[in-house]
Amino acid sequence: MNSAPGQDSFPVIRAVERLLPPHYARQDQIIGSLRELWATRHYNIERLEELHRSVQVDGRFLALPIQQYPGLVTFQQRNDAWIQVATDLGEQVVRKALDRTGLTPQDVDHVFFVTVTGIATPSIDARLMNRLGMRPDMKRTPIFGLGCVAGAAGTARASDYLRAWKGQTALLISVELCSLTLQREDLSIPNIIASGLFGDGAACVVLQGGERAGAGPRIVATRSVLYPNTERIMGWDVVDTGFKVVLSAKVPQLAREFIRRDVDGFLSEHGLTRKDIKHWVAHTGGPKVLQAFEEALELAPDTLSLSWASLREVGNLSSASVLFVLGDMLESGKAQPGDWGVMMAMGPGFCAELVLLRW
């Protein structure tokens, strides 16, 4: 990179921790539980199974035992469960992340909290301050509505803060309980696909300003891209029973059409090309989205192997997904000093977020 600033200008990712809820269901179990309901509506059960298997997810971890979901009828019931489980998972994943870095809750200066699967006021980050014994002067930034892109976007916004406060520590916390949003009575194709694709999980990223010593990739730059007039590509319709998914079949097409242009433009501003990037950390948007990334960016086989593995093992965890892949990549030990990496995700807006990393 030409005329690069000093390393102390760049925030560093110290650790990424991930946590899955304790309840696991194989894909065939989930299909079975939905089959009983949808068969009463004369739905094409063979088509249901075909759509579920096409997302290439073996099974998912769930916020609650699968037997409890039929009892969640109202938005309040779903959201009350979300608050309880989100707070519990959030506390556990933060403790794990801080333990990994040798830090304590008192060392944290700012928390960024992202989710799209539930709402709470006070927000979950405020509840975590009390549980964890954080300083009363700690800053909080809860972010709702970015969906799948929020893992990358939250990392970027935390890094923006740490560029100004180079001696401070920030956390990005993501908790997504997608299973609690499922509309069991909705027989639309988007909802059936979502019922097969999305899972539950939490992640916590520990970031520090460039003045703080510590190993880990540095965040050199970020880029946000909004695609005009694409509001109905992905998101929620808020209905009486909660969040009804909006999920267009055009998502892979948009990824294929725009991600190459956006990545190339982003890298060129830093004197780089795709050939300079050793590590690609991609959100597990689904098989067609990952294929679109591979084709548009002309990636070598197995470049996105960690993303494919995460999709297969736990499904799409919305904002937490790209953080799970980032954590897996850091633990793999593949990155060497001087390597470049790109973290990327797409989500409601419709939009993309790119993060340039250097080890």
Side-chain angles (χ1 to χ4, degrees):
M1 192 175 78
N2 298 326
S3 62
Q7 286 290 299
D8 63 357
S9 298
F10 303 137
V12 62
I13 296 174
R14 290 289 314 281
V16 180
E17 273 295 349
R18 293 89 73 212
L19 186 66
L20 295 161
H23 313 291
Y24 180 79
R26 301 185 311 275
Q27 195 75 323
D28 58 353
Q29 289 178 281
I30 296 172
I31 292 173
S33 67
L34 294 173
R35 182 193 293 117
E36 296 176 6
L37 171 67
W38 288 343
T40 65
R41 307 284 294 276
H42 306 289
Y43 190 77
N44 184 338
I45 301 302
E46 290 73 21
R47 180 59 172 158
L48 161 65
E49 296 193 13
E50 178 185 333
L51 289 170
H52 268 229
R53 306 215 186 278
S54 71
V55 300
Q56 300 182 32
V57 176
D58 292 342
R60 281 161 290 159
F61 291 82
L62 306 176
L64 302 173
I66 195 169
Q67 298 84 0
Q68 293 186 18
Y69 284 85
L72 301 177
V73 178
T74 68
F75 190 9
Q76 181 178 351
Q77 289 173 324
R78 298 169 190 267
N79 203 67
D80 284 349
W82 180 84
I83 291 173
Q84 178 180 341
V85 178
T87 306
D88 290 343
L89 288 180
E91 178 186 3
Q92 294 172 51
V93 79
V94 168
R95 290 191 186 279
K96 287 182 63 178
L98 292 175
D99 286 347
R100 181 180 283 263
T101 56
L103 298 170
T104 72
Q106 291 281 314
D107 296 319
V108 178
D109 301 290
H110 198 140
V111 164
F112 294 80
F113 179 80
V114 295
T115 192
V116 75
T117 51
I119 54 176
T121 304
S123 50
I124 300 299
D125 43 288
R127 299 164 194 251
L128 292 178
M129 284 184 68
N130 292 318
R131 284 203 185 189
L132 294 165
M134 291 173 158
R135 300 196 322 263
D137 67 339
M138 191 193 74
K139 301 178 180 69
R140 298 183 295 113
T141 302
I143 303 173
F144 176 86
L146 288 179
C148 295
V149 81
T155 301
R157 299 296 77 79
S159 74
D160 291 343
Y161 172 82
L162 291 172
R163 283 176 181 272
W165 300 95
K166 299 179 183 180
Q168 292 197 5
T169 297
L171 302 182
L172 168 65
I173 307 169
S174 163
V175 182
E176 299 288 15
L177 305 179
C178 303
S179 68
L180 294 175
T181 70
L182 177 64
Q183 302 295 305
R184 292 170 56 84
E185 302 295 328
D186 180 6
L187 301 185
S188 67
I189 296 298
N191 189 60
I192 292 171
I193 292 174
S195 72
L197 177 61
F198 290 95
D200 300 348
C204 179
V205 184
V206 181
L207 305 99
Q208 291 187 307
E211 292 179 356
R212 300 289 298 269
R218 294 188 178 266
I219 300 173
V220 176
T222 68
R223 168 68 60 84
S224 301
V225 185
L226 179 70
Y227 305 111
N229 304 313
T230 55
E231 291 96 335
R232 294 299 295 175
I233 295 296
M234 180 181 288
W236 296 129
D237 284 332
V238 181
V239 298
D240 288 344
T241 52
F243 298 134
K244 180 179 178 180
V245 69
V246 175
L247 184 61
S248 170
K250 295 181 180 179
V251 170
Q253 174 187 330
L254 287 170
R256 186 174 286 103
E257 183 175 353
F258 292 114
I259 198 68
R260 178 173 177 172
R261 178 202 70 184
D262 295 332
V263 167
D264 285 351
F266 178 49
L267 294 178
S268 68
E269 291 186 1
H270 302 280
L272 301 170
T273 69
R274 276 177 276 133
K275 293 181 179 179
D276 296 307
I277 305 303
K278 295 287 185 65
H279 311 286
W280 296 87
V281 179
H283 166 67
T284 56
K288 292 183 178 179
V289 172
L290 289 178
Q291 289 167 2
F293 285 157
E294 291 174 334
E295 294 168 9
L297 298 174
E298 300 174 308
L299 300 179
D302 296 328
T303 300
L304 300 184
S305 60
L306 292 177
S307 294
W308 282 104
S310 185
L311 175 66
R312 182 175 61 254
E313 293 165 7
V314 300
N316 183 340
L317 306 179
S318 191
S319 68
S321 281
V322 76
L323 304 179
F324 268 61
V325 178
L326 177 63
D328 291 343
M329 198 275 290
L330 294 179
E331 290 185 359
S332 73
K334 295 179 179 179
Q336 300 298 316
D339 284 359
W340 291 98
V342 168
M343 178 165 64
M344 56 187 179
M346 306 183 87
F350 190 67
C351 65
E353 197 79 26
L354 306 172
V355 180
L356 181 61
L357 304 171
R358 193 171 199 189
W359 276 261

